[in-house]
Amino acid sequence: MLDIRQIRENPQLVQEKLATRGGNYDIQPLIELDTQQRALEAKRNQLQARSNEIAKLIPEKIKVGSDPKGAEIKGLRDEGSSIKAELGTIEPQEKELSVKIKEYLLSIPNLPSDSTPVGKNEEENVEVRRWGDEYLPKNQNILPHWEIGEKLGIFNTERAVKVAQSRFVTLVGAGAALERALIQFMLDRQIAAGYVEIMPPILVNSDSMTATGQLPKFAEESFKCEADDLWLVPTAEVPVTNLYRGEIINGEQLPIYHCAYTPCFRREAGSYGRDMRGLIRLHQFNKVEMVKFVHPSTSSEELEKMVENAEAILQALQLPYRVISLCTGDLGFHSAKTYDLEVWLPSSGKYREISSCSNILDYQARRGDIRFKESGKKGTQFVHTLNGSGLAVGRTMAAILENYQQEDGTVRIPEALQPYLRREIL
């Protein structure tokens, strides 16, 4: 959530930055609501001050001889009653305006950082670097990962559809073992990099979804348990970030690094017809997530470190990838700056997203009221939050099945993963 003072003091700058995102974000109605609320607040303060003044005047005047039932005292009491009645009408108006302002603020995305490339859509994202060209597969007859997976008998889509619906998959035998091995491998790597593992709830309440930015705008993207007001997590970012919701953190504890494995659930609304086969775009998938709570002065540096942590997984698995800086038009709703890591999938001849690492600045912290207190300083500040995939597990499996596919139809297991799987070939 943006700071209303920032909008109030720099409306043109805010509007210009929002315009680079595309869409129709008009802050003028918000400014008008804020002006109305501040006018009411000023009037309430003025009336309250006069009410307090009258409350003191009446006993003082009676003390120096005024008739308690005389016209002067009656006039003051009548004025006090009139003020009280007026305050009674102003306060609910203020509350109503506060609700409207908060609702409006919740609908406005984060402002892109100054270092985020300006562009209209994904076509204008900027490639930062590539890694692993020497590991590009030499095999010229690579099958798509869903075909080789079915041939090897390690996952089954038809039975998953029977049990659930499309966009689900059942992992079988070595497929299930490979998924577990990847999860443990990723967690071990991130823990070694300084992240503290969390195993959070995978059902979260609406307050949690609101704090991280999924609600109210993206309700249709998530699965809800209506009877309980609980949501299946779209990413571990939601429960892990909300562990600190409504808290004031001791500044000496910063930075806080967490990693977490969870199943993730997304409707993928609006994506029908895209990636209907395989492991790229499922309703349920596994992911290891990284989440940081940091001092505002270090969040840019912490984003670069987080990207390096995600890259380290791909490098250890020797999977070719590239790093993309998302432009303003392709930026996620709550992000100020995002790097995507895209892994090479040879069957399609394309790089595909496998990790997204974002600096959220204080946007989530304002929504979730997550602050920190520095020793020797007055007041509190909002932390900066960051999150990133480390990595999407199913997409990593897809990349292994394709990049490590052999001429004889087997799949070689990356050397770094072999101790976890206890086998060299699928």
Side-chain angles (χ1 to χ4, degrees):
M1 186 163 64
L2 299 182
D3 184 353
I4 187 64
R5 289 176 298 179
Q6 180 185 21
I7 297 172
R8 184 187 303 150
E9 294 168 6
N10 298 288
Q12 184 175 349
L13 176 64
V14 171
Q15 190 67 73
E16 287 173 356
K17 280 187 168 288
L18 288 174
T20 66
R21 281 180 160 274
N24 183 24
Y25 299 106
D26 182 8
I27 62 169
Q28 189 56 43
L30 177 61
I31 293 170
E32 292 171 2
L33 289 171
D34 180 57
T35 301
Q36 293 173 38
Q37 186 192 40
R38 292 172 68 204
L40 281 175
E41 182 182 11
K43 188 174 183 180
R44 173 174 53 80
N45 289 337
Q46 184 181 22
L47 289 171
Q48 190 63 61
R50 178 57 180 163
S51 178
N52 293 338
E53 184 183 5
I54 290 170
K56 290 179 181 180
L57 275 174
I58 290 174
E60 287 175 359
K61 285 187 175 292
I62 292 174
K63 188 176 181 179
V64 296
S66 293
D67 183 356
K69 296 182 179 180
E72 183 181 23
I73 300 300
K74 184 179 182 302
L76 287 170
R77 284 176 173 158
D78 287 346
E79 185 183 355
S81 296
S82 176
I83 288 172
K84 186 176 180 180
E86 193 170 358
L87 285 171
T89 64
I90 287 175
E91 288 170 358
Q93 291 177 51
E94 273 193 282
K95 287 181 181 179
E96 183 181 354
L97 283 170
S98 293
V99 169
K100 288 181 178 180
I101 289 170
K102 184 174 181 181
E103 288 176 349
Y104 211 104
L105 283 170
L106 289 175
S107 72
I108 298 175
N110 204 351
L111 301 182
S113 72
D114 291 339
S115 61
T116 295
V118 176
K120 296 178 182 178
N121 52 46
E122 61 182 13
E123 300 299 323
E124 298 185 55
N125 291 339
V126 177
E127 182 174 319
V128 178
R129 57 184 171 271
R130 293 191 184 197
W131 184 94
D133 283 356
E134 65 272 29
Y135 298 114
L136 291 169
K138 304 296 189 292
N139 184 0
Q140 299 297 312
N141 300 304
I142 292 175
L143 297 175
H145 66 274
W146 60 86
E147 287 189 25
I148 192 67
E150 295 278 358
K151 280 194 172 186
L152 293 172
I154 63 173
F155 61 77
N156 188 297
T157 302
E158 289 183 7
R159 286 177 174 159
V161 172
K162 177 171 63 176
V163 171
Q165 63 179 46
S166 62
R167 294 187 187 266
F168 287 88
V169 67
T170 297
L171 300 176
V172 181
L178 178 56
E179 185 93 350
R180 282 188 291 106
L182 283 167
I183 291 167
Q184 191 60 60
F185 172 71
M186 292 174 186
L187 285 172
D188 285 351
R189 289 282 173 148
Q190 303 306 0
I191 291 167
Y195 293 82
V196 176
E197 184 182 1
I198 298 291
M199 187 169 285
I202 59 172
L203 284 166
V204 296
N205 57 37
S206 292
D207 286 343
S208 295
M209 292 282 280
T210 301
T212 46
Q214 280 73 27
L215 294 181
K217 189 173 179 63
F218 300 103
E220 73 282 357
E221 291 284 349
S222 297
F223 291 95
K224 185 178 184 182
C225 306
E226 286 285 351
D228 305 288
D229 188 30
L230 291 172
W231 303 75
L232 287 166
V233 297
T235 166
E237 166 200 344
V238 178
V240 175
T241 302
N242 277 278
L243 291 176
Y244 297 89
R245 175 161 47 88
E247 294 188 20
I248 298 175
I249 301 168
N250 184 334
E252 295 178 1
Q253 293 180 261
L254 299 178
I256 296 172
Y257 295 0
H258 285 313
C259 64
Y261 148 68
T262 63
C264 303
F265 304 87
R266 298 182 189 175
R267 290 189 184 278
E268 294 291 353
S271 67
Y272 291 98
R274 297 176 60 194
D275 302 312
M276 289 297 291
R277 304 179 70 182
L279 304 173
I280 300 300
R281 200 177 295 275
L282 297 172
H283 288 313
Q284 176 186 329
F285 59 96
N286 293 318
K287 184 156 65 81
V288 172
E289 187 79 357
M290 302 173 288
V291 176
K292 291 184 177 185
F293 304 82
V294 306
H295 192 284
S297 65
T298 67
S299 64
S300 294
E301 175 187 346
E302 292 287 359
L303 176 60
E304 302 299 326
K305 290 180 180 178
M306 179 176 278
V307 174
E308 290 174 6
N309 297 146
E311 287 184 84
I313 303 293
L314 292 169
Q315 291 176 10
L317 296 173
Q318 297 182 345
L319 291 170
Y321 69 89
R322 65 178 183 172
V323 179
I324 301 294
S325 181
L326 298 193
C327 72
T328 53
D330 197 33
L331 207 58
F333 183 80
H334 58 301
S335 176
K337 185 177 181 66
T338 295
Y339 292 108
D340 274 5
L341 275 62
E342 297 181 345
V343 70
W344 178 251
L345 289 183
S347 72
S348 59
K350 293 180 180 178
Y351 287 96
R352 300 300 302 269
E353 180 194 336
I354 197 168
S355 173
S356 188
C357 298
S358 299
N359 187 355
I360 315 300
L361 302 180
D362 62 1
Y363 187 84
Q364 289 177 331
R366 287 184 181 279
R367 295 170 79 108
D369 192 24
I370 308 171
R371 301 170 181 261
F372 72 98
K373 176 85 169 72
E374 287 187 283
S375 178
K377 291 188 177 181
K378 291 183 178 180
T380 60
Q381 300 177 61
F382 289 106
V383 300
H384 280 194
T385 62
L386 301 93
N387 61 74
S389 313
L391 304 162
V393 182
R395 295 187 179 202
T396 307
M397 182 189 291
I400 289 172
L401 290 176
E402 295 196 9
N403 284 278
Y404 281 85
Q405 202 174 130
Q406 307 299 295
E407 294 281 359
D408 62 1
T410 61
V411 174
R412 184 166 57 87
I413 300 300
E415 187 175 340
L417 201 58
Q418 289 176 16
Y420 292 84
L421 203 59
R422 298 180 183 176
R423 62 195 300 168
E424 297 180 9
I425 298 288
L426 285 178

